[in-house]
Amino acid sequence: MRTEAEAAGPPLEPGDFVQLPVPVIQQLYHWDCGLACSRMVLRYLGQLDDSEFERALQKLQLTRSIWTIDLAYLMHHFGVRHRFCTQTLGVDKGYKNQSFYRKHFDTEETRVNQLFAQAKACKVLVEKCGHHCFCRTPDYQGHFIVLRGYNRATGCIFYNNPAYADPGMCSTSISNFEEARTSYGTDEDILFVYLDS
């Protein structure tokens, strides 16, 4: 008689499977997925205090237009070691007519470019990454998620999508994730956060 572990195939090597217990926090509005993701990360790190989070949003002047650079500043505010990788160190003017950006583009351009310019002095780690863009021009909608693990054997990643309370954890293939992450309009942004903050 085979055990359940034997039936599942060869044992996984360390690092072949990771699934972090990051809690799911649902976004409240259509625009606050990045803030919901930040709350998930901070709760996982044991640093989420709702009143302090609200004070941080006020201090950083985060409103209804949230960019990845805003989330990097938010992680810095809470003392979370991070690294923000992006294709564009500032605002890409080519996005001005994309429906997702159009409404706030003119008012946000100066603010966001200023955040990038001040990042080093503020100890917010931002790096320009290599260019791998698919360069398609779909009607981009924009969305933040929290990656929480992977299974190397099946080639999938696990993530929390703040748009849904259930099912908490989602999964997709690495190729689907890369296609979404490198779509036109994303700047291929990734905000890494580290446990040893």
Side-chain angles (χ1 to χ4, degrees):
M1 182 172 203
R2 297 174 70 195
T3 66
E4 192 174 318
E6 290 170 328
L12 294 172
E13 295 294 321
D16 282 348
F17 182 87
V18 172
Q19 193 175 99
L20 301 175
V22 179
V24 177
I25 296 177
Q26 192 171 11
Q27 64 192 77
L28 301 175
Y29 310 100
H30 72 279
W31 55 267
D32 70 334
C33 55
L35 298 179
C37 288
S38 296
R39 286 178 186 267
M40 289 184 219
V41 168
L42 291 169
R43 180 160 295 153
Y44 172 71
L45 296 174
Q47 295 184 240
L48 182 61
D49 173 279
D50 288 328
S51 58
E52 175 57 29
F53 190 83
E54 292 302 321
R55 283 192 296 273
L57 297 183
Q58 290 175 358
K59 179 180 179 183
L60 297 171
Q61 299 177 349
L62 301 182
T63 57
R64 290 182 175 215
S65 181
I66 305 295
W67 296 60
T68 313
I69 187 72
D70 292 314
L71 303 182
Y73 272 82
L74 190 56
M75 290 299 112
H76 173 71
H77 174 86
F78 283 97
V80 175
R81 192 164 71 90
H82 66 280
R83 185 178 70 180
F84 170 30
C85 294
T86 183
Q87 287 290 320
T88 310
L89 298 175
V91 174
D92 183 336
K93 288 187 180 286
Y95 299 156
K96 184 173 185 169
N97 293 319
Q98 292 291 105
S99 62
F100 179 75
Y101 293 104
R102 191 178 303 129
K103 185 176 181 181
H104 299 285
F105 191 90
D106 291 332
T107 57
E108 289 292 286
E109 183 179 16
T110 301
R111 182 188 75 81
V112 171
N113 282 336
Q114 190 172 31
L115 289 174
F116 274 96
Q118 297 170 346
K120 186 174 182 180
C122 293
K123 297 186 180 359
V124 173
L125 183 56
V126 178
E127 297 176 8
K128 184 171 179 156
C129 303
H131 187 67
H132 299 99
C133 185
F134 282 74
C135 294
R136 295 181 308 226
T137 56
D139 194 21
Y140 174 67
Q141 293 301 304
H143 193 55
F144 288 98
I145 61 170
V146 176
L147 295 184
R148 59 182 284 186
Y150 60 88
N151 183 332
R152 188 170 288 155
T154 61
C156 73
I157 60 164
F158 307 117
Y159 64 96
N160 288 355
N161 183 345
Y164 306 106
D166 288 316
M169 184 181 63
C170 304
S171 67
T172 191
S173 69
I174 292 172
S175 61
N176 280 349
F177 170 72
E178 280 298 302
E179 185 173 351
R181 186 185 72 79
T182 56
S183 293
Y184 183 78
T186 67
D187 288 326
E188 302 183 27
D189 288 355
I190 296 182
L191 179 57
F192 294 97
V193 295
Y194 302 92
L195 284 173
D196 57 339
S197 297

